[in-house]
Amino acid sequence: MTPAEEKRFIDGIRALNDGDQDSALTALEEARDLPDAAWMAGMIRLRREEFNRARAHFEHALARLGDLGTLFAKYEIAAQASLPITSDIFAHVFPRERGTRLALLEIAQIEGRHSDAMAHIERLMEIDATDPVVLLSFAELVLDTPDDRALMDRVVRATVHVENETPVDTAILLYRGRALAALGMPDAAIDVLTLANRRRKDRPEGLLHQIRYDRAILYEQSGQRARARSELERIFAADPEFEDVSKILEV
């Protein structure tokens, strides 16, 4: 006999597969004591920007980490969700500790709970500090406090082996460049941003514009005004509304 909660979990997954999100959420929340049901309900609530309810579901799933994923495995369900890591980069996550903490990290950042966000990212770094998505999340979070030289140093050290192979790598290099600039190393920062700008295939346009913008500001600060203006003009030609480019160019 299948337990009632497990039946509701199955009902929720079927409804979600059929595109009926409301029915899926109802069923999954009726089975929310099951960590897999809570995890999936949390993802639905997160997409609806109902952050308190989403957080409660993810925290419950995390508290029963040993059981998380067992029902998905039992019924051979390939569960995954997409989470924004930055405004341009998304990551696929699964019902495991990594995916759950990344979701809780996103909620904490949205709600301005910096210490909670740091607790989640520190745990993720403990699990695997070489995971590109985790590394990007770490760098993006700590660059909120560029005056913290110890954190900037950690970013530089953690990203020293990153090469520009994937869009995630490109985003990491943007933050590596910013960390170097925050440490008072503009020339090194320019070199990193130049490396980040070399690969453009499959890279989000907004990310490439941001790299060139940051490099232009560093050129200006280091007295290379012609190079700075050239960069800004190229950004303006592609996207006149980007940042304050039109104001700087006095267009």
Side-chain angles (χ1 to χ4, degrees):
M1 296 293 292
T2 304
E5 277 194 333
E6 195 168 320
K7 286 182 179 179
R8 292 304 283 152
F9 167 75
I10 297 167
D11 291 340
I13 296 299
R14 284 176 175 162
L16 196 59
N17 192 54
D18 292 339
D20 187 350
Q21 193 178 91
D22 290 337
S23 295
L25 186 57
T26 297
L28 290 167
E29 290 194 328
E30 287 178 5
R32 62 183 175 273
D33 283 346
L34 301 174
D36 287 3
W39 192 88
M40 191 58 77
M43 285 299 173
I44 296 173
R45 290 292 184 189
L46 180 54
R47 285 177 183 162
R48 294 184 173 192
E49 299 184 355
E50 296 167 348
F51 301 122
N52 286 337
R53 289 188 172 187
R55 184 174 70 250
H57 287 314
F58 289 130
E59 287 175 347
H60 176 71
L62 198 60
R64 294 185 57 188
L65 195 57
D67 296 323
L68 184 59
T70 56
L71 286 180
F72 289 121
K74 177 180 178 179
Y75 292 103
E76 298 183 345
I77 299 166
Q80 69 173 25
S82 180
L83 281 178
I85 304 303
T86 69
S87 59
D88 297 302
I89 302 293
F90 288 76
H92 293 299
V93 297
F94 305 91
R96 300 172 191 140
E97 182 175 4
R98 173 184 181 271
T100 309
R101 287 194 183 275
L102 284 170
L104 285 166
L105 169 62
E106 182 189 354
I107 294 170
Q109 286 183 277
I110 291 169
E111 294 182 336
R113 293 181 290 107
H114 185 77
S115 60
D116 288 344
M118 281 299 298
H120 289 300
I121 198 61
E122 291 288 10
R123 172 57 186 155
L124 287 165
M125 290 287 282
E126 285 177 12
I127 294 170
D128 185 0
T130 66
D131 180 331
V133 169
V134 170
L135 194 52
L136 175 56
S137 297
F138 170 72
E140 191 260 347
L141 176 62
V142 302
L143 258 295
D144 286 342
T145 54
D147 293 335
D148 190 326
R149 292 183 64 84
L151 284 177
M152 297 306 99
D153 183 71
R154 279 187 67 188
V155 171
V156 171
R157 292 176 186 276
T159 60
V160 69
H161 298 299
V162 174
E163 298 182 7
N164 196 6
E165 299 295 333
T166 70
V168 173
D169 291 339
T170 305
I172 292 171
L173 290 172
L174 168 63
Y175 290 108
R176 175 175 170 80
R178 288 180 176 179
L180 286 164
L183 289 170
M185 304 178 188
D187 291 341
I190 288 170
D191 288 345
V192 169
L193 294 173
T194 299
L195 173 62
N197 193 51
R198 282 181 185 153
R199 293 281 183 93
R200 301 184 184 182
K201 185 179 180 181
D202 300 326
R203 273 51 171 182
E205 276 194 6
L207 174 59
L208 293 174
H209 292 338
Q210 191 65 61
I211 290 166
R212 300 188 92 164
Y213 179 87
D214 279 36
R215 187 169 62 173
I217 298 302
L218 288 170
Y219 279 146
E220 179 68 29
Q221 291 173 354
S222 60
Q224 302 179 65
R225 292 184 175 83
R227 281 190 166 186
R229 185 169 182 88
S230 176
E231 290 277 31
L232 294 172
E233 287 178 358
R234 290 177 181 178
I235 297 171
F236 180 81
D239 183 0
E241 304 302 322
F242 188 82
E243 297 281 354
D244 57 350
V245 170
S246 60
K247 182 179 179 180
I248 296 173
L249 293 174
E250 298 180 345
V251 177

